[in-house]
Amino acid sequence: MNRRWPRVSRAEGIAAVIGVLALAGCLLLGLHAPRTVLLSYLFAWLFWLAPALGSVGLLLVHALTGGDWGFALRPALLAACRRLPLMAVLLLPVLIGVAVLFPWADAQAADPNLAHQRWWLNLPFFLVRAVIVFALWLWLAHGLRRRLATPAAGRFAAGGLILYTLTVSVAAIDWVASLVPRWHSTTLGILVGTAQLLAAAGLAVWVSVTRRDDASALWTPRRLNDLGSILMVLVLAWGYLAFMDYLTVWIADLPSETVWYLPRVKTPWRWLGAFLVLFHLALPFAVLLSRQAKQHVAWLAGVALWLFVAQIGYVAWLVLPGLRGHALAWSDPLAWVGIGGLWWLGYGAQRRAALEVEP
């Protein structure tokens, strides 16, 4: 039976136009400061990748573990994971500008200390890994959508979560860690993956509980409490992993590890770190500890939206300080708005389409 897909809303069309104009502004700025703009673009691209890829991760977790929360969020998660093909296309400027953006790829600034990393940090292998990683993500998303309502979903999700963890770790090393090529971290991959799950959950909860097109009667106190508990667990997991990574580096005090943290704690970027501790961890966790807050739609929606927006600060913390001594550039908001406008185009329509087929 043919299914008529909802039309793209006027607001989504306006967002896409604004996005194209913002990216055009980035292009003009990039003519004079290519590395600055490419760094801004990478920051924005990684932010918008998080809800798309994190939605795949949450769908995999739900297929394996079950729970009412997954059915409540499924339309929003399915719509978000359909943004992955767009994110694959939008990665092209980063791949084209590798030699400008990543210090290890600049042949004129060869670092003899990186000789033992050249087997991994070389341009052909970097591009091959990017293609393979995205192909696997697209395969995971497609395969999961086909199996969601079948008994095979659990078996697929078991292997899919392992593949998800490995590929996110590879991507984190390539697109985050290699910005400071001599730095390494065994926690970065799982930390980035947890942040992606948190971003996806925050967006999905906010969109789901504030929209009336899926019947507000669905939002019983028990279901709202479950959604709040999911957010609280992800906030706590992210905070624990981030703290343990910092604590390990602080105890060891090795130059190969402190090289990443020094620009973040010895410059004005430290205020961003303080913001993340207070407002991306402590405050949301304190609110979500309250059962009354979790069972109140307005409170839950507000915390979910805040956790999603606060990911801007965390992705900026991951990407910007290592290559930028000052705080922000004009290209940062332009890139964020540009990619976000394109990301939003069709999201609502695909979510409504997913709602129509939900049992």
Side-chain angles (χ1 to χ4, degrees), residues 261-276 316-317 320-321 324-328:
Y261 275 103
L262 286 176
R264 290 162 173 81
V265 299
K266 297 294 185 180
T267 68
W269 286 107
R270 64 181 178 274
W271 298 112
L272 177 58
F275 167 84
L276 292 172
W317 171 265
L320 300 181
R324 188 183 293 168
H326 59 284
L328 298 175

Side-chain angles (χ1 to χ4, degrees), residues 55-354:
S55 294
V56 177
L58 287 176
L59 288 169
L60 289 169
V61 170
H62 181 251
L64 187 62
T65 63
D68 189 54
W69 65 271
F71 297 109
L73 299 183
R74 183 179 288 179
L77 294 176
L78 286 172
C81 75
R82 288 183 180 275
R83 308 289 90 197
L84 277 177
L86 171 67
M87 299 311 296
V89 174
L90 292 178
L91 180 61
L92 288 176
V94 175
L95 299 182
I96 293 172
V98 168
V100 175
L101 179 58
F102 293 90
W104 56 263
D106 186 356
Q108 296 181 350
D111 187 343
N113 295 319
L114 295 179
H116 65 287
Q117 292 182 309
R118 287 300 177 191
W119 69 274
W120 183 269
L121 295 180
N122 62 82
L123 185 56
F125 195 22
F126 179 90
L127 298 177
V128 168
R129 289 195 303 272
V131 172
I132 292 175
V133 161
F134 245 106
L136 290 173
W137 288 340
L138 293 170
W139 175 78
L140 273 179
H142 177 71
L144 184 60
R145 287 196 301 267
R146 292 186 57 188
R147 295 172 175 83
L148 270 181
T150 70
R155 295 192 297 273
F156 182 83
L161 278 172
I162 297 174
L163 186 60
Y164 174 86
T165 303
L166 292 175
T167 51
V168 168
S169 297
V170 170
I173 292 170
D174 281 357
W175 303 334
V176 178
S178 72
L179 291 169
V180 185
R182 281 175 286 178
W183 174 65
H184 59 273
S185 169
T186 56
T187 313
L188 181 66
I190 190 66
L191 182 57
V192 170
T194 303
Q196 290 176 347
L197 296 178
L198 180 56
L203 178 62
V205 170
W206 173 67
V207 168
S208 299
V209 302
T210 56
R211 298 297 186 268
R212 301 301 181 183
D213 52 6
D214 53 350
S216 58
L218 289 174
W219 305 117
T220 62
R222 179 178 178 181
R223 176 170 280 190
L224 291 171
N225 188 77
D226 289 346
L227 297 182
S229 297
I230 291 295
L231 290 176
M232 184 173 66
V233 167
L234 290 173
V235 168
L236 186 60
W238 172 82
Y240 171 79
L241 290 169
F243 172 73
M244 290 305 298
D245 184 66
Y246 178 79
L247 182 63
T248 302
V249 172
W250 182 76
I251 292 174
D253 197 23
L254 298 175
S256 60
E257 296 177 353
T258 57
V259 67
W260 193 80
Y261 275 103
L262 286 176
R264 290 162 173 81
V265 299
K266 297 294 185 180
T267 68
W269 286 107
R270 64 181 178 274
W271 298 112
L272 177 58
F275 167 84
L276 292 172
V277 172
L278 292 175
F279 297 105
H280 192 27
L281 173 61
L283 182 60
F285 183 70
V287 173
L288 292 170
L289 279 176
S290 167
R291 182 181 294 270
Q292 288 76 15
K294 287 189 290 188
Q295 293 180 355
H296 194 280
V297 170
W299 275 96
L300 181 62
V303 173
L305 178 60
W306 175 253
L307 287 171
F308 174 67
V309 174
Q311 283 290 310
I312 298 174
Y314 181 59
V315 178
W317 171 265
L318 289 176
V319 174
L320 300 181
L323 295 180
R324 188 183 293 168
H326 59 284
L328 298 175
W330 283 108
S331 53
D332 296 334
L334 284 177
W336 189 87
V337 170
I339 296 178
L342 297 179
W343 194 98
W344 211 255
L345 180 64
Y347 172 79
Q350 290 177 341
R351 178 182 167 275
R352 292 190 294 273

